[in-house]
């Protein structure tokens, strides 16, 4: 057996067998992820409200799960996290007579190329507080869920089916026992599902259903067939008849229905159809006869994506159509006018029948509520449901995250909210697809893409210079006729060896060294380019050529960080290539895998130039298996490291793989349903989601020891400080282990979304019975702070800076000693001063320490473990240096100690006053005692500000004012601060002498 195999077996043992109390998989559960937004909503395709609770609404995001508002959309809360195994929502139904009962069908009905599969139906009986799975796991995308109006146990589901292939679970389903069992009551074939169903409002046994042949391939959209059409049942789904009288006679695609309680005889069907028969149909006799009332092009615009019609519950002639634009008709669909919504690309609407001025409406920007028939809307900037295709980071501190948000624009978001940092920048070049890639060394320059169009964006001016490769509009083409085939998310990659070298890819690798002004092709066609897949997307009815389905393009590119000119690329039709000489020669090194998968990510190793990883996505070919391959010989041979039985499930498609830059063998895999980690180079995997919501991980970067992620439905997430992960296998072999800390940065202000600034110390304990002590020492050995386990410090109220809205870091708390990983944040502060209240004396809200090297000495039982770390200035600071903050620390410590002296004198004088006051109350007061009491009062109120409105601040308050002034920012104290301190000390001596003189009387 090889030495490497023995090592892998040993590592596998560590991952699976408890060692000294805990195994690694348990330790991984202690890590917490952090969302950094943005709070700009993503696509929502399902909404519903509660008739008797007009402030309550639900929305279903396409990658963000189910959310609820009870305040008309002012705030939203996710209610599906922890229950749903998929974030894709197709339909929401509320049982209005008992609105605590909800049913949700997963799997969006807008089957664009990034659609996430559904995994069945979920039910809540307490308004979304808890959910249970109630079946239909394999139905894929669900178009509609309808509840019998008088019996919440009777529910109907329209199952579109799997978006990317045939499956037998398409059809109309019915349960009569609340989801305990289901019957398929209408089925056509494994290719034809049902996009919508409606129950007649006055007779729930009357059902309308729309049959739809809807399927996607990586290279095209299939929508429509001769088998599609409108079906009706009048006996609760026992028998069905296909309606034809007046309906389209040729190919029929996606269908959506509307029936108003105001007149259930009137039925509307919005139908995609060939031969100019697509549009709105109306029946006035429950479907027996139909009239074609409108061929308005917006009604069937991109039908696979939209197709939604809705009738006002109080007036059957008032209709709303959700598509590219939001339209309203007041004459039964004969004519239409546009209504403005907060965002284009509209998908759904629900109107409260008790007050039809109250709506919830869904579009590509989220969900929004109106209380006045659409004149004004609630915000979409409170929904962290952004669909992001990738993440890039700049080299600022704090660094910023960049991506393209589907249906919106590119963006830049700070990793931490500090000081005056803007919360987010929307629009950094390119468009919704991205990527947006900041230039190393100059983050004001961002290279961005918009559906294959390259631009160089300058943040300082807000202008983007356009340098499209080929300078040709590629929309609307058959891809085989294009000179350059660009996917809409065509990658941009900057050489790690030269920030002026930028790569961009079509079927070729393009290179620029002058920000895009000139381009050089440095590769042949590196795709499979098979003729059968070079077709005009959109068939057999509706053409849809936006570049999303352009097949045979390069989808991923990375240059090795350790060997210049070693470049790996992967195409969206399968091939993997490598060059070792900057593009002069290329070698096809595709793993032995099923053909045609999309190479979503390539990852050259930073530890070995011959080593690389690739992540292949095949769910668009209806293959949901995970495919991550590893090579250690430049692609000559590959090993599949996601076998389906080594920790990463067999039905979790893989999108991205990243290798830890500091520890070989530590891998992170982003899948369609969350994050996984391997500590043994892919031999075994552990789920690593914890508080991370279930959502596709589309991209990852490891930057400044943080794991930075983009998701397809929940924005950006960060796992702060992954350094301890690299040592987990070593830690579990010890009774106690101290992980290497990161340097601490003197960030002054922070927001609730950001981690507390300070030195984050992590340590492992195998046994909870150990006492723990932590000492923070200067480099010279002087103790700055000490903490012990079992004794925590109370929280300290801290001043809120009115200018920024941020608050200072709170005092450090107590030390934990639980078994497993423990974390402690030292806030870089000395202890506070003396207080008359013993519970507040010497707390951790003292002056901030100056910069330099510090030691953390951890004593666990009888073991003493030490680690060094640095406290550094905020690197953005230009007006201050290390010497300045050293002076600041010295003065602040002197003021702190002086405040303690003042507090002690206040206590002493106060005790004298109280004793004398008691004496005066108990016996006949002498004039001498009264004069002494007045003199003591005079002394006391020189120290303490007397009660009243806007009274003059006295010595204690003046000292606190000085302390606040010199501690609000990193700075050298001004001359006035020193002068004022001397004045205060002098005044203190005067007051002290005055008091001592009184004591001698």
């Amino acid at each position: 057996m090889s030495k490497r195999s023995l090592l892998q077996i040993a590592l596998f043992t560590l991952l699976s067998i408890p060692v000294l109390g805990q195994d690694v998989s348990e330790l991984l559960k202690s890590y917490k992820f952090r969302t950094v937004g943005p709070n700009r909503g993503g696509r929502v395709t399902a909404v519903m409200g509660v008739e008797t609770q007009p402030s309550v609404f639900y929305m279903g995001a396409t990658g963000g799960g189910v959310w609820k508002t009870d305040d008309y959309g002012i705030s939203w809360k996710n209610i599906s996290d922890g229950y749903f195994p998929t974030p894709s929502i197709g339909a929401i139904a509320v049982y209005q007579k008992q609105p605590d009962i909800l049913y949700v069908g997963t799997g969006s009905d807008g089957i664009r190329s990034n659609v996430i599969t559904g995994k069945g139906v979920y039910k809540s009986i307490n308004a979304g507080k808890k959910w249970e799975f109630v079946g239909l796991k394999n139905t894929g995308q669900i178009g509609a869920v309808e509840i019998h109006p008088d019996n919440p146990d009777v529910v109907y589901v329209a199952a579109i089916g799997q978006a990317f292939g045939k499956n037998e679970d398409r059809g109309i389903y019915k349960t009569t026992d609340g989801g305990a069992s289901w019957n398929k009551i209408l089925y056509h074939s494994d290719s034809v599902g049902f996009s919508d169903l409606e129950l007649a409002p006055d007779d729930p046994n009357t059902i309308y259903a729309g049959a739809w042949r809807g399927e996607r391939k990586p290279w095209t959209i299939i929508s429509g067939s001769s088998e599609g059409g409108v079906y009706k049942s009048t006996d609760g789904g026992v028998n069905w008849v296909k309606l034809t009288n007046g309906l389209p006679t040729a190919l029929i695609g996606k269908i959506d229905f509307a029936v108003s309680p105001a007149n259930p005889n009137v039925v509307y069907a919005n139908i995609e159809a060939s031969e100019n028969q697509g549009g709105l149909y109306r029946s006035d006799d429950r479907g027996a006869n139909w009239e074609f009332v409108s061929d308005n092009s917006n009604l069937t615009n991109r039908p696979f994506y939209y197709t939604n019609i809705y009738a006002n519950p109080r007036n059957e002639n008032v209709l709303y159509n959700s598509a590219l634009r939001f339209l309203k008709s007041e004459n039964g669909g004969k004519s239409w006018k546009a209504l403005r919504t907060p965002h284009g690309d509209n998908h759904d609407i629900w109107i409260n029948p008790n007050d039809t001025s109250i709506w919830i409406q869904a579009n590509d920007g989220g969900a929004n509520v109106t209380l006045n028939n659409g004149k004004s809307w609630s915000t979409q900037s409170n929904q962290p449901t952004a669909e992001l295709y990738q993440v890039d980071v700049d080299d600022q501190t704090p660094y910023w995250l960049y991506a393209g948000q589907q249906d919106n624009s590119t963006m830049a978001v700070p990793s931490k909210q500090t000081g005056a940092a803007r919360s987010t920048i929307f629009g950094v070049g390119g468009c919704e697809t991205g990527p947006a890639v900041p230039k190393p060394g100059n983050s004001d320059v961002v290279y961005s893409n918009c559906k294959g169009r390259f631009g160089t964006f300058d943040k300082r001016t807000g202008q983007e210079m356009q340098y499209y490769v080929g300078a040709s509009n590629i929309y609307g083409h058959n891809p085989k006729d294009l000179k350059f085939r660009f996917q809409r998310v065509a990658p941009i990659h900057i050489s790690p060896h030269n920030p002026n070298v930028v790569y961009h890819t079509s079927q070729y690798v393009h290179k620029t060294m002058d920000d895009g002004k000139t381009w050089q092709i440095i590769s042949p066609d590196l795709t499979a380019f098979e003729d059968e897949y070079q077709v005009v997307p959109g068939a057999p009815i509706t053409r849809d050529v936006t570049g999303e389905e352009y097949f045979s393009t390069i989808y991923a590119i990375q240059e090795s960080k350790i060997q210049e000119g070693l470049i790996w690329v992967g195409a969206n039709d399968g091939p993997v290539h490598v060059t070792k000489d900057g593009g002069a020669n290329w070698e096809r090194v595709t793993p032995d895998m099923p053909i045609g998968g999309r190479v979503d990510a390539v990852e050259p190793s930073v530890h070995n130039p011959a080593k690389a990883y690739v992540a292949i996505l095949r769910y668009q070919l209806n293959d949901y298996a995970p495919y991550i391959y590893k090579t250690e010989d430049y692609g000559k041979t590959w090993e599949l490291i996601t076998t389906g039985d080594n920790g990463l499930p067999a039905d979790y498609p893989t999108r991205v793989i990243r290798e830890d830059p500091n520890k070989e063998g530590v891998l992170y895999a982003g899948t369609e349903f969350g994050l996984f980690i391997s500590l043994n180079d892919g031999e075994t995997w552990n789920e690593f989601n914890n508080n991370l919501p279930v959502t596709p991980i589309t991209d990852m970067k490891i930057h400044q020891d943080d794991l930075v992620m983009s998701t397809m439905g929940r924005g950006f997430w960060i796992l702060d400080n992954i350094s301890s992960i690299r040592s987990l296998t070593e830690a579990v072999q010890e009774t106690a282990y101290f992980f290497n800390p990161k340097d601490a940065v003197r960030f002054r202000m922070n927001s609730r979304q950001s981690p507390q600034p300070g030195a984050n110390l992590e340590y492992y304990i195998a046994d909870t019975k150990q006492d723990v002590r932590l000492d923070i020492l200067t480099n010279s050995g002087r103790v700055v702070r000490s903490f012990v386990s079992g004794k925590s410090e109370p929280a300290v109220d801290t001043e809120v800076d009115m200018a920024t809205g941020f608050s200072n870091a709170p005092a450090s708390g107590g030390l934990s000693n639980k078994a497993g990983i423990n974390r402690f944040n030292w806030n870089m502060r000395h202890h506070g001063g003396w207080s008359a209240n013993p519970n507040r004396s010497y707390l951790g809200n003292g002056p901030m320490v100056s910069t330099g090297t510090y030691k953390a000495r951890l004593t666990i039982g009888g073991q003493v473990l030490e680690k060094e770390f640095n406290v550094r200035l905020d690197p953005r600071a230009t007006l201050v240096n290390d010497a300045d903050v050293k002076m600041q620390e010295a003065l602040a410590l002197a003021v702190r100690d002086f405040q303690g002296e003042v507090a002690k004198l206040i206590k002493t004088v106060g005790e004298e006053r109280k004793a004398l006051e008691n004496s005066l109350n108990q016996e006949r007061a002498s004039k001498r005692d009264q004069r002494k009491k007045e003199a003591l009062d005079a002394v006391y109120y020189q120290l303490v500000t007397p009660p009243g409105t806007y009274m003059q601040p006295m010595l204690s308050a003046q000292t606190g004012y000085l302390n606040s002034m010199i501690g609000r920012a990193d700075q050298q104290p001004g001359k006035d601060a020193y002068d004022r301190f001397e004045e205060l000390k002098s005044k203190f001596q005067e007051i002290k002498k005055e008091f001592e003189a009184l004591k001698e009387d």
Side-chain angles (χ1 to χ4, degrees):
M1 184 176 292
S2 69
K3 184 177 180 181
R4 180 173 178 272
S5 297
L6 288 170
L7 175 61
Q8 290 171 344
I9 291 173
L11 287 172
F12 178 78
T13 302
L14 286 172
L15 288 170
S16 58
I17 300 175
V19 180
L20 295 174
Q22 287 200 358
D23 62 26
V24 169
S25 62
E26 286 298 312
L27 296 183
L28 288 170
K29 295 178 182 178
S30 70
Y31 291 86
K32 299 299 180 186
F33 298 85
R34 174 171 62 89
T35 178
V36 291
N39 286 326
R40 178 169 70 172
R43 185 164 74 254
V44 170
T45 55
V47 292
M48 180 61 74
V50 178
E51 295 174 4
T52 57
Q53 301 170 25
S55 64
V56 175
F57 299 95
Y58 300 91
M59 71 169 179
T62 56
V66 180
W67 297 70
K68 180 181 181 179
T69 178
D70 58 10
D71 54 14
Y72 296 100
I74 294 173
S75 62
W76 291 90
K77 179 182 179 181
N78 184 282
I79 58 172
S80 59
D81 284 352
Y83 295 100
F84 288 26
T86 177
S88 182
I89 307 303
I92 302 173
V94 177
Y95 182 59
Q96 297 293 351
K97 291 185 176 180
Q98 189 178 341
D100 282 354
I101 298 175
L102 309 173
Y103 289 86
V104 169
T106 60
S108 173
D109 72 335
I111 55 171
R112 61 177 308 131
S113 64
N114 62 343
V115 70
I116 305 160
T117 192
K119 293 198 173 186
V121 178
Y122 286 78
K123 177 183 179 181
S124 175
I125 58 172
N126 52 15
K129 293 183 178 69
K130 294 183 179 180
W131 297 87
E132 64 172 327
F133 171 67
V134 291
L136 305 185
K137 179 180 179 181
N138 299 318
T139 51
Q141 315 310 111
I142 289 176
V145 175
E146 293 290 338
I147 306 174
H148 191 290
D150 300 314
N151 186 348
D153 289 332
V154 177
V155 183
Y156 299 87
V157 168
I160 297 168
Q162 296 292 346
F164 298 100
K166 297 180 179 180
N167 74 307
E168 294 286 343
D169 294 279
R170 303 176 189 271
I172 301 294
Y173 290 84
K174 179 180 181 179
T175 180
T176 57
D177 52 18
S181 62
W182 294 86
N183 293 315
K184 189 188 293 187
I185 59 174
L186 180 58
Y187 174 73
H188 182 281
S189 67
D190 62 2
S191 297
V192 177
F194 289 83
S195 57
D196 191 28
L197 68 85
E198 289 280 349
L199 308 182
D202 61 340
D203 176 17
N205 286 320
T206 297
I207 311 169
Y208 306 94
W212 179 36
R213 162 85 163 107
E215 188 178 327
R216 291 195 79 106
K217 299 296 183 185
W219 53 87
T220 193
I221 309 159
I222 301 167
S223 181
S225 66
S226 58
E227 291 86 5
V230 177
Y231 286 79
K232 179 182 178 181
S233 173
T234 57
D235 53 13
V238 177
N239 297 286
W240 295 86
V241 61
K242 187 174 183 180
L243 306 181
T244 58
N245 193 11
L247 291 172
T249 57
L251 302 178
I252 294 178
K254 194 174 183 182
I255 300 171
D256 195 73
F257 299 101
V259 186
S260 171
N263 186 353
N265 291 324
V266 176
V267 184
Y268 295 95
N270 192 25
I271 303 176
E272 175 193 14
S274 64
E275 299 183 9
N276 298 317
Q277 295 179 352
L280 183 67
Y281 289 78
R282 171 175 170 149
S283 171
D284 290 309
D285 52 13
R286 296 180 182 255
N289 298 280
W290 295 84
E291 176 189 3
F292 188 27
V293 294
S294 179
D295 62 355
N296 186 302
S297 61
N298 193 76
L299 299 177
T300 55
N301 177 267
R302 306 194 80 194
F304 75 90
Y305 194 39
Y306 307 119
T307 312
N308 180 279
I309 199 78
Y310 189 88
N312 189 295
R314 293 284 189 89
N315 186 338
E316 75 275 15
N317 290 311
V318 176
L319 301 177
Y320 303 89
N321 180 73
S322 297
L324 181 64
R325 293 182 297 161
F326 184 64
L327 302 182
K328 179 181 180 181
S329 173
E330 296 180 343
N331 55 11
K334 294 177 182 177
S335 61
W336 298 85
K337 64 179 180 179
L339 295 182
R340 184 178 294 276
T341 54
H343 196 287
D345 298 331
N346 301 277
H347 296 285
D348 199 12
I349 182 178
W350 179 85
I351 296 175
N352 192 318
N354 297 330
D355 182 348
T356 57
S357 65
I358 299 175
W359 315 343
I360 182 171
Q361 194 266 344
N363 51 62
D364 277 0
N368 31 263
V369 175
T370 180
L371 306 180
N372 53 18
N373 291 295
K375 295 183 178 66
S376 60
W377 301 91
S378 64
T379 182
Q380 296 180 331
S381 296
N382 55 6
Q383 302 162 34
T385 52
E387 294 179 293
L388 306 178
Y389 285 106
Q390 65 288 117
V391 61
D392 278 279
V393 291
D394 62 25
D395 47 18
Q396 300 181 78
T397 300
Y399 60 88
W400 285 57
L401 293 67
Y402 298 74
Q405 180 185 352
Q406 172 63 41
D407 310 315
N408 275 287
S409 69
T410 53
M411 67 176 73
V413 176
S415 60
K416 295 181 178 71
Q417 300 281 356
T418 61
R422 293 168 60 188
S423 59
T424 302
I425 301 173
F426 291 125
V428 286
C431 66
E432 59 180 324
T433 63
V437 186
K439 185 172 184 175
N442 183 5
S443 59
D444 284 330
V445 175
V446 183
Y447 302 112
S448 294
N449 171 61
C450 178
K451 305 176 184 179
R453 304 191 295 268
F454 180 94
T456 300
F457 181 82
D458 189 336
K459 287 185 196 171
R460 296 161 296 193
T461 65
Q463 297 186 55
E464 183 182 24
M465 296 175 283
Q466 309 296 323
Y467 298 117
Y468 311 158
V469 175
S472 175
N473 189 337
I474 65 173
Y475 266 37
H477 288 76
N478 186 320
K480 69 180 181 181
D481 299 327
L482 290 169
K483 181 179 180 180
F484 300 118
R485 297 187 301 276
F486 281 101
Q487 239 283 340
R488 66 197 302 269
V489 290
I492 295 170
H493 176 60
I494 301 174
S495 169
H497 305 281
N498 184 346
N500 294 316
V501 173
V502 182
Y503 303 102
H504 188 37
T505 62
S506 57
Q507 70 270 40
Y508 309 111
V509 177
H510 304 267
K511 174 182 174 181
T512 182
M513 297 184 69
D514 55 11
D515 295 332
K517 298 179 183 68
T518 58
W519 291 97
Q520 174 189 5
I521 296 175
I522 63 168
S523 79
D525 186 332
L526 299 180
T527 70
F529 192 66
E530 297 172 277
D531 284 340
E532 62 182 297
Y533 305 126
Q534 307 305 314
V535 297
V536 175
I541 301 173
T542 307
R543 180 185 175 105
D544 196 273
V545 192
T546 64
E548 192 167 348
E549 287 75 34
Y550 283 167
F551 208 45
S552 302
T553 73
I554 296 172
Y555 206 83
I557 178 171
Q558 290 284 322
E559 183 177 9
S560 168
K561 293 180 174 65
I562 57 175
Q563 182 173 317
E564 189 171 3
L566 175 60
I567 306 171
W568 296 81
V569 302
N572 69 347
D573 59 356
V576 176
H577 285 81
V578 65
T579 178
K580 301 173 186 174
D581 50 19
N585 297 281
W586 292 86
E587 183 179 0
R588 183 164 177 161
V589 292
T590 310
D592 182 13
M593 63 182 185
I595 62 173
R598 188 174 83 192
V599 183
D600 242 36
V602 292
E603 176 75 349
S605 173
V606 297
H607 304 288
N608 176 359
K611 190 176 185 180
Y613 307 84
V614 294
I616 315 296
L617 191 70
R618 289 183 50 81
Y619 81 76
Q620 293 172 324
L621 297 168
N622 211 35
D623 179 358
Y624 282 81
Y627 294 95
I628 296 177
Y629 292 87
K630 175 179 68 176
T631 182
E632 297 185 84
D633 54 13
Y634 294 101
K636 291 183 176 62
T637 60
W638 294 87
E639 176 188 1
L640 178 65
I641 59 175
T642 49
T643 59
D645 58 4
N646 64 342
L648 201 158
D651 59 350
Y652 275 46
T654 44
R655 286 179 171 267
V656 59
I657 177 72
R658 295 292 179 235
E659 179 193 45
D660 192 287
N662 289 41
K663 181 69 175 289
E664 187 170 9
V666 176
L667 304 177
Y668 300 90
T671 77
E672 191 72 355
F673 305 113
L675 180 67
F676 286 78
I677 185 173
S678 174
L679 302 182
N680 52 18
D681 215 14
E683 284 293 308
T684 57
W685 295 90
N686 284 90
E687 184 181 2
F688 194 34
N689 290 304
N690 301 341
N691 65 315
L692 189 68
V694 173
T695 190
I697 308 297
T698 55
D699 195 13
M700 295 184 287
K701 296 291 188 296
I702 297 173
H703 186 65
Q704 296 182 9
D705 279 340
D706 294 343
L707 179 64
V708 185
M709 294 169 285
S710 58
T711 71
M712 188 54 65
R714 294 297 285 271
F716 292 115
W717 287 75
I718 294 175
L719 177 59
D720 294 292
N721 192 12
I722 61 172
S723 56
S724 61
I725 292 175
R726 298 163 181 150
S727 303
L728 286 182
T729 52
E730 292 87 350
V732 294
Q733 300 176 69
E734 306 290 341
T735 56
Y737 193 91
F738 200 174
F739 297 102
N740 290 323
K742 289 176 66 172
D743 287 349
V745 182
R746 286 171 52 110
F747 292 132
R748 278 285 178 167
M749 301 290 184
N750 66 286
S751 71
R752 292 179 180 178
Q753 292 94 347
S754 297
Q756 296 293 345
N760 293 294
L761 307 174
E762 297 177 286
Y763 50 98
Y764 168 79
I765 306 175
D767 189 348
T768 57
K769 298 174 184 177
Q770 303 293 324
D771 290 330
V772 181
R773 178 185 175 91
L774 173 66
D775 296 301
I776 306 293
L777 304 91
T778 64
N779 200 32
S780 63
R782 178 174 56 85
V783 175
V784 178
R785 290 298 314 276
S786 293
F787 306 90
V788 294
S789 58
K791 180 182 178 181
S792 61
E793 295 182 353
V796 176
D797 293 331
T798 54
E799 178 185 5
V800 174
D801 188 297
M802 299 302 293
T804 64
F806 295 100
S807 60
N808 289 308
S812 301
L815 207 62
S816 65
N817 64 343
K818 65 181 181 181
I821 294 178
N822 296 264
R823 295 181 175 87
F824 182 81
N825 177 277
W826 174 52
N827 61 0
M828 303 177 293
R829 291 182 178 272
H830 292 274
H831 64 75
W834 183 89
S835 170
N837 182 347
N839 293 325
R840 297 185 65 83
S841 280
Y842 307 117
L843 293 184
N845 58 335
M848 189 174 286
V849 300
S850 57
T851 55
T853 302
Y854 291 81
K855 292 179 183 177
R857 177 186 296 155
L858 195 62
T859 305
I860 302 175
Q863 287 183 268
V864 178
L865 307 170
E866 278 193 357
K867 294 290 182 181
E868 282 193 353
F869 63 93
N870 294 309
V871 173
R872 298 186 289 111
L873 278 177
D874 185 333
R876 300 168 299 176
T878 59
L879 303 176
V880 66
N881 57 39
D882 293 326
D884 293 334
V885 296
K886 189 72 174 176
M887 295 173 62
Q888 181 183 34
E889 178 190 36
L891 179 58
L893 286 171
V895 172
R896 177 201 68 182
D897 294 341
F898 176 65
Q899 285 182 296
E901 293 183 53
V902 173
K904 289 174 182 176
L905 182 57
I906 291 171
K907 182 175 185 292
T908 301
V909 175
E911 290 171 347
E912 289 279 335
R913 291 178 69 231
K914 186 174 183 180
L916 188 57
E917 186 174 333
N918 289 338
S919 175
L920 291 172
N921 290 337
Q922 291 175 3
E923 58 188 57
R924 193 170 185 177
S926 69
K927 291 185 178 179
R928 178 177 178 276
D929 286 343
Q930 287 178 344
R931 286 195 300 269
K932 187 173 182 180
K933 173 67 168 57
E934 291 170 359
L936 276 173
D937 286 348
V939 170
Y940 186 78
Y941 286 115
Q942 291 181 70
L943 295 168
V944 176
T945 304
T949 303
Y950 288 115
M951 303 301 287
Q952 178 181 330
M954 305 311 288
L955 183 64
S956 179
Q958 292 287 358
T959 306
Y961 190 82
L962 175 63
N963 181 65
S964 175
M965 185 186 89
I966 64 174
R968 292 169 67 89
D970 291 350
Q971 65 176 87
Q972 180 189 116
K975 181 178 180 298
D976 286 83
Y978 289 103
D979 292 346
R980 180 58 173 159
F981 189 32
E982 293 304 318
E983 291 174 2
L984 294 174
K985 288 193 292 184
S986 177
K987 182 63 175 176
F988 176 71
Q989 292 302 323
E990 292 178 9
I991 298 170
K992 188 175 181 181
K993 287 179 182 179
E994 188 175 340
F995 173 64
E996 289 172 349
L998 285 174
K999 290 172 62 178
E1000 294 173 359
D1001 287 348

